[in-house]
Amino acid sequence: MRPPQRRPARALRALAVSVALALGNPVTSAADPLADAPAAAWTKRFEKALDVVDAEHRGAEIGVYVRDLESGQTARYRASETWYLASTVKVPVAIAVLRGVDAGLFTLDSKITLRAADYVDGAGLTNRQRVGAHLSVRFLLEQMIIHSDNTASDMLIELVGIRNVNYVAREIGGDDFGRITTLGDVRRLVYGELTPAAERLAGTDLLLLHRQVRDKDRLALLSRLTETPVARFRRASLDEAFAAYYASGVNSARLSAYGELLEALADGELLSAKQTDYLLGVMRRTATGTHRVKAGLIPGAQFAHKTGTQRRRICDSGVITVPHGLHMQRIVIAACARGELSLERSERALRDVGVALCRSGLITRGIPDEPSCPPLSREEVLSAATPVPPTVPPAVAPATRAGGPGHATGQRAPAAQPAARPAGGVPAGPPR
């Protein structure tokens, strides 16, 4: 299923390049976003800063893709490598759903009935609903994007068909996108690295497994649910199971490909103008990942984004919009971190990616290290550890009465009806 036919923004820009060449006019980098513009000063500063961030956060290897949609200038840091996307795959899901809306197959107010088989562990309000509840497409889509609701995601995937979700991803990224699966299958594939019997796990089983805090308890429960002794598991630990699952390439992509998908979305190439505005508006309301890239940007910057979180893998990707008077600057960023078990430390690494971008000058009118940009995490630690010398040396300080001028207080300055769900109900586009 395709959006309404119109000349894509990218094709219009390419046409502008051809006309300019025919007239003998110079072609600026802004007119040719299909090829990277010459490296700008900000790209060099940004990539150099990422070397520092990567070295400082030794447990969390980072990958970053950034593209200024106005100039076409691009910065990459391991962006050509394959990265696990986690829940950022929910953006292609949302696009597939909104294409169904554009095609008139259903509306955002159409209702879907929640079944017992639909439950998947994770955040959001859908798991709090009773079996038989009638939930609107709008509710499910917003829960999926804003709160990263896995049950909502899988209900929407069944509505449109997983084939259409994969078509959305590969329409732009081609073979740079691995196969996207349901969120329930993510769990079954991970546990399947321990025992093939995991493919039979029901949604309620996944909820029970998720509630186990310790790996030891989760493995013991998995053993009981699959009737497989722990000693016969094919991997020695959950870490090994996740590592093997990640190596399969499922739900993964090059960050450059994911960035190109976001660019096509922002340029209105994937959906009608109405649904493009709606989806970007929902992504601006994302409630997860508040300590990631967004925390490193300047005040006033808007971030329409989607986060992803899984064992030793996190991502934060989207479209940054920065107002400069009447002009709105747009930047695509796709950023992930891997290897670090601590979520807090991984999030700090992605926050520093945002800081590095801010300090590069790209979003601050070309001013590097603009004072409104936050400091890097390391600088905050050093600042907190460095004692602040007194304003007046104690040996020279004049004697004062309590409450008089110069008195030390010890305080610092204030610094519709239910819609039937057809199997793969939205017709898929041509294979690629």
Side-chain angles (χ1 to χ4, degrees):
M1 181 187 63
R2 300 298 304 274
Q5 292 297 313
R6 59 187 180 280
R7 187 180 299 276
R10 202 171 300 185
L12 286 174
R13 293 172 188 164
L15 178 61
V17 174
S18 300
V19 172
L21 289 173
L23 296 175
N25 297 329
V27 180
T28 64
S29 59
D32 186 15
L34 297 179
D36 288 348
W42 75 265
T43 64
K44 298 175 182 178
R45 285 192 294 265
F46 181 54
E47 290 167 358
K48 184 176 180 180
L50 292 181
D51 279 331
V52 175
V53 172
D54 206 21
E56 191 63 32
H57 299 277
R58 296 179 182 177
E61 184 181 59
I62 59 172
V64 186
Y65 173 90
V66 171
R67 188 173 183 86
D68 178 14
L69 298 189
E70 182 176 9
S71 69
Q73 294 163 342
T74 305
R76 297 178 176 87
Y77 196 86
R78 296 197 187 100
S80 61
E81 298 178 15
T82 298
W83 291 79
Y84 187 72
L85 299 176
S87 284
T88 61
V89 299
K90 293 169 183 174
V91 171
V93 175
I95 293 170
V97 170
L98 292 174
R99 283 185 170 183
V101 174
D102 275 336
L105 301 178
F106 46 81
T107 73
L108 287 172
D109 295 320
S110 296
K111 300 294 178 63
I112 302 176
T113 302
L114 177 64
R115 305 168 310 190
D118 291 326
Y119 290 116
V120 185
D121 61 82
L125 298 177
T126 313
N127 282 347
R128 301 182 187 180
Q129 310 298 316
R130 295 181 177 180
V131 172
H134 303 318
L135 307 176
S136 71
V137 172
R138 186 191 310 274
F139 170 84
L140 294 171
L141 189 146
E142 295 185 3
Q143 287 295 308
M144 174 180 71
I145 296 295
I146 297 172
H147 301 290
S148 208
D149 188 317
N150 292 332
T151 300
S153 303
D154 281 4
M155 292 176 70
L156 291 174
I157 288 173
E158 184 174 350
L159 174 67
V160 298
I162 193 63
R163 181 184 177 192
N164 288 289
V165 175
N166 278 283
Y167 175 70
V168 167
R170 298 200 173 195
E171 180 182 354
I172 300 297
D175 292 338
D176 287 341
F177 264 88
R179 179 173 62 92
I180 296 176
T181 70
T182 67
L183 281 297
D185 280 347
V186 168
R187 308 302 192 258
R188 295 181 184 94
L189 288 170
V190 171
Y191 294 132
E193 292 293 337
L194 296 166
T195 170
E199 68 180 10
R200 301 194 302 269
L201 291 171
T204 50
D205 296 333
L206 298 178
L207 295 177
L208 290 172
L209 287 164
H210 181 69
R211 291 173 188 153
Q212 309 307 307
V213 177
R214 300 187 304 172
D215 284 1
K216 179 180 179 181
D217 296 334
R218 189 171 296 184
L219 293 176
L221 178 57
L222 179 65
S223 173
R224 293 196 298 272
L225 291 173
T226 61
E227 299 180 343
T228 306
V230 173
R232 292 178 56 189
F233 282 169
R234 297 186 295 186
R235 311 282 178 184
S237 66
L238 272 176
D239 258 347
E240 287 189 16
F242 272 96
Y245 163 71
Y246 294 142
S248 72
V250 175
N251 296 309
S252 302
R254 294 186 180 186
L255 289 186
S256 54
Y258 193 88
E260 289 168 3
L261 175 73
L262 291 172
E263 180 180 359
L265 171 63
D267 282 343
E269 297 179 20
L270 302 179
L271 296 166
S272 67
K274 179 179 179 180
Q275 301 308 335
T276 297
D277 290 344
Y278 170 68
L279 178 53
L280 291 174
V282 174
M283 291 171 67
R284 279 191 286 270
R285 294 160 54 197
T286 292
T288 57
T290 55
H291 300 297
R292 300 184 191 181
V293 171
K294 187 175 183 179
L297 304 178
I298 57 174
Q302 297 181 344
F303 194 19
H305 64 130
K306 182 70 193 77
T307 61
T309 307
Q310 200 159 281
R311 193 183 189 97
R312 297 187 185 272
R313 299 290 189 277
I314 72 168
C315 295
D316 194 5
S317 303
V319 183
I320 301 168
T321 306
V322 185
H324 298 301
L326 298 178
H327 170 65
M328 301 296 285
Q329 182 184 14
R330 299 179 305 149
I331 301 104
V332 159
I333 182 169
C336 294
R338 63 190 176 198
E340 173 60 66
L341 185 58
S342 165
L343 176 60
E344 180 182 359
R345 287 194 288 269
S346 293
E347 290 193 317
R348 194 177 301 131
L350 291 190
R351 179 247 189 207
D352 279 353
V353 169
V355 173
L357 181 64
C358 187
R359 291 188 162 199
S360 73
L362 174 60
I363 63 176
T364 56
R365 294 178 176 268
I367 303 173
D369 298 318
E370 215 280 338
S372 61
C373 295
L376 291 171
S377 297
R378 180 174 182 271
E379 295 176 3
E380 289 181 319
V381 172
L382 291 176
S383 175
T386 303
V388 179
T391 305
V392 181
V396 189
T400 58
R401 291 179 294 177
H407 175 63
T409 64
Q411 298 178 347
R412 294 185 180 181
Q417 291 298 315
R421 283 188 282 182
V426 182
R432 290 179 63 99

